[in-house]
């Protein structure tokens, strides 16, 4: 199917309109008319080749929501007209130990990303949600149970939501725990909402003084401006868990020193340049850990969507037309987004 899309031909070129082809609907496929697509910082890292390895043309977008227009002959879980989502993955090997455990994001043979992933479809790598339609294997399609009028604000759950829900859930965050969320951007603002809904005492860490009141409104119990030494000092040794979503290289010691004995800081941000090596003393004295976490599996993504529907959680969004995408990226780099851009696919 000929499909309208927006993408870049090189890392230093702006995104532009392009026509792409979606494969014919196979027996296990679901064809989706995309209504909205969130704008993740990973889109920017990829399209500008900040991580290297970007294949062009690059059509980003992995926070996709829309409606089913066709299903393959073997598809039983989805019907034409249903509201569905697609996140960061569109395939995985389905036979390794991680896939067997429902952790497709850790597929030992490499999951297939929604964009920049391997595929036999033209042009030889996957093309994402900055497009009008997509065809996806039914195992990687999610059901959306939020009210239809919240659909645009549901889109960011497909990456920002699951990337924060998964570590909060894996490390069993809940009542009686003090939890920090560092970086109040697309991921971080979801982390605050979800950790609050899980019952934790939530402290938001931001470099942006102007996000103080917002962070409280998002559900934080306290806000710390991390550039303020005295505010940071007051939090020393008090956290069970810290979720660090910062998209840029920074000093991790400022946060490991805030953990209690046996506390863990999970990094989900993937900055272009590495963080300075952390102080090992901070880890040894207190048996503290630094860990990482990657998005979430398909079953867990459905669990997160259902959790958010039940707790009435959606993202705080600013809707844009696709033609404004480069400006949106520039604003994202300046931390000037409250708190996720979402593309109205009608503008394609
Ligand atoms: P975002 O909306 O740009 O938010 C990042 C936030 O980090 C900013 O809003 C800002 O918050 C803070 N920040 C930025 N520069 C900083 C600096 N120099 N020092 C301290 N704080 C800084 O980005 P996002 O979409 O949430 O993505 C965050 C990162 O996670 C990206 O690197 C992205 O690629 C990565 N990611 C990882 C996964 C995964 O599976 N692990 C999934 C999706 C995204 P304040 O204004 O509050 O300081
Ligand atoms: Zn993402």
């Amino acid at each position: 199917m000929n499909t309208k899309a927006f993408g870049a031909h090189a890392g230093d070129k702006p995104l532009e309109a392009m026509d792409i082809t979606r494969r014919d609907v196979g027996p296990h496929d679901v064809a989706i008319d995309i209504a909205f697509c969130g704008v993740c910082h990973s889109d920017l890292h990829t399209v500008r080749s900040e991580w290297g390895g970007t294949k062009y043309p690059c059509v980003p977008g992995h926070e996709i929501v829309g409606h089913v227009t066709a299903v393959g002959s073997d598809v039983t879980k989805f019907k034409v007209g249903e509201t569905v989502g697609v996140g960061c993955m569109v395939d995985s090997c389905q036979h390794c130990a991680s896939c067997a455990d429902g952790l497709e994001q850790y597929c030992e043979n490499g999951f297939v990303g929604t964009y920049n992933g391997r595929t036999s479809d033209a042009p030889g790598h996957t093309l994402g949600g900055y497009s009008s339609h997509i065809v996806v294997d039914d195992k990687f399609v999610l059901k959306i149970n939020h009210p239809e009028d919240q659909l645009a604000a549901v889109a960011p759950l497909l990456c920002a939501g699951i990337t924060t829900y998964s570590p909060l859930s894996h490390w069993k965050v809940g009542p009686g725990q003090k939890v920090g969320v560092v970086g109040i951007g697309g991921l971080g603002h979801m982390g605050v909402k979800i950790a609050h809904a899980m019952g934790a005492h939530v402290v938001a860490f931001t470099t942006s003084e102007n996000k103080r009141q917002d962070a409280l409104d998002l559900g934080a119990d306290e806000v710390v401006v991390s550039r303020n030494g005295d505010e940071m000092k007051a939090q020393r040794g008090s956290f069970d868990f810290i979720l660090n979503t910062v998209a840029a290289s920074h000093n991790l010691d400022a946060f490991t020193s805030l953990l209690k004995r046996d506390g863990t800081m999970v990094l989900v941000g993937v900055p272009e340049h590495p963080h300075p090596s952390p102080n090992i003393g901070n880890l040894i004295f207190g048996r503290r850990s630094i860990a990482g976490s990657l998005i979430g599996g398909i079953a867990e993504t459905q669990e997160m969507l259902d959790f958010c529907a039940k707790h009435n959680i959606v993202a705080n969004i600013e809707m844009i037309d696709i033609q404004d995408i480069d400006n949106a990226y520039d604003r994202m780099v300046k931390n000037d987004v409250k708190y996720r851009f979402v593309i109205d696919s009608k503008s394609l």
Side-chain angles (χ1 to χ4, degrees), residues 40-42 45 51 159 163 183-188 205-208 211 245-250 268-271 293-295 332 335 337 340:
C40 179
H41 208 115
S42 302
H45 290 305
W51 294 333
C159 174
T163 302
I184 308 305
L187 266 54
F205 291 90
T206 180
T207 59
S208 307
K211 294 182 182 171
T245 74
V246 172
S249 165
H250 64 285
V268 292
V270 189
S293 182
L294 178 65
I295 47 177
M332 186 151 66
N335 302 334
V337 46
R340 196 59 139 186

Side-chain angles (χ1 to χ4, degrees), residues 94-321:
Q94 300 292 320
H95 55 71
C96 72
S98 293
C99 287
D101 285 343
L103 298 169
E104 299 88 351
Q105 75 276 34
Y106 302 117
C107 174
E108 289 158 26
N109 296 299
F111 73 83
V112 177
T114 303
Y115 55 81
N116 209 47
R118 61 179 191 281
T119 178
S120 53
D121 299 345
H125 58 274
T126 53
L127 303 170
Y130 297 7
S131 59
S132 57
H133 295 87
I134 193 165
V135 176
V136 179
D137 186 292
D138 64 347
K139 284 191 284 302
F140 290 82
V141 179
L142 288 311
K143 284 190 192 281
I144 306 287
N145 295 315
H146 284 75
E148 192 70 21
D149 62 355
Q150 292 186 326
L151 192 55
V154 168
L157 302 184
L158 275 307
C159 174
I162 185 59
T163 302
T164 51
Y165 180 90
S166 182
L168 290 168
S169 163
H170 182 77
W171 272 272
K172 302 188 167 50
V173 159
Q177 289 186 349
K178 187 171 173 186
V179 170
V181 178
V182 186
I184 308 305
L187 266 54
H189 96 289
M190 290 309 310
V192 169
K193 290 187 187 210
I194 293 170
H196 172 75
M198 288 175 169
H201 178 91
V202 182
V203 182
F205 291 90
T206 180
T207 59
S208 307
E209 185 66 49
N210 68 359
K211 294 182 182 171
R212 216 184 254 280
Q213 183 57 46
D214 285 3
L216 295 171
D217 297 342
L218 292 167
D221 298 283
E222 300 175 54
V223 184
V224 172
V225 172
S226 53
R227 298 191 198 280
N228 182 320
D230 291 339
E231 280 187 56
M232 289 292 280
K233 222 174 181 174
Q235 299 286 344
R236 273 205 190 145
S238 67
F239 283 86
D240 298 284
F241 184 80
I242 297 176
L243 178 64
N244 186 327
T245 74
V246 172
S249 165
H250 64 285
N251 171 20
L252 301 178
D253 302 337
F255 298 103
T256 51
S257 60
L258 305 188
L259 293 169
K260 281 184 190 164
R261 190 198 72 225
D262 292 321
T264 300
M265 173 160 76
V266 169
L267 304 177
V268 292
V270 189
E272 178 182 5
H273 305 291
H275 299 299
S277 176
N279 178 346
I280 306 309
N282 267 354
L283 305 179
I284 293 174
F285 290 89
R287 197 162 56 188
R288 297 154 165 153
S289 309
I290 297 178
S293 182
L294 178 65
I295 47 177
I298 293 299
E300 191 176 40
T301 305
Q302 190 64 60
E303 178 187 303
M304 176 278 307
L305 285 166
D306 298 344
F307 175 90
C308 288
K310 182 173 157 213
H311 292 270
N312 196 24
I313 294 174
V314 292
N316 293 27
I317 65 164
E318 179 176 337
M319 191 95 82
I320 59 166
D321 286 344

Side-chain angles (χ1 to χ4, degrees), residues 25-30 71-78 138:
V25 177
H28 296 283
D29 281 337
V30 176
V71 296
S73 51
D74 291 347
V75 174
T76 54
K77 250 172 71 190
F78 299 98
D138 64 347

Side-chain angles (χ1 to χ4, degrees), residues 319-337:
M319 191 95 82
I320 59 166
D321 286 344
I322 188 70
Q323 292 76 13
D324 294 329
I325 189 68
D326 282 292
N327 180 41
Y329 284 166
D330 292 341
R331 283 182 52 198
M332 186 151 66
V333 171
K334 289 187 258 173
N335 302 334
D336 175 27
V337 46

Side-chain angles (χ1 to χ4, degrees), residues 4-9 14-16 18 20 22 34 37-49 54-64 87 113-116 125-134 322 325-326 329 343 348:
K4 285 191 197 340
F6 231 75
H9 288 287
L15 279 76
E16 56 183 274
M18 53 177 70
I20 61 170
R22 294 300 186 189
I34 299 175
C37 184
V39 178
C40 179
H41 208 115
S42 302
D43 300 354
L44 187 165
H45 290 305
T46 304
V47 81
R48 295 188 176 172
S49 204
T54 302
K55 300 179 187 80
Y56 295 95
C58 174
V59 175
H62 59 204
E63 292 184 339
I64 299 168
T114 303
Y115 55 81
N116 209 47
H125 58 274
T126 53
L127 303 170
Y130 297 7
S131 59
S132 57
H133 295 87
I134 193 165
I322 188 70
I325 189 68
D326 282 292
Y329 284 166
I343 298 161
L348 278 157

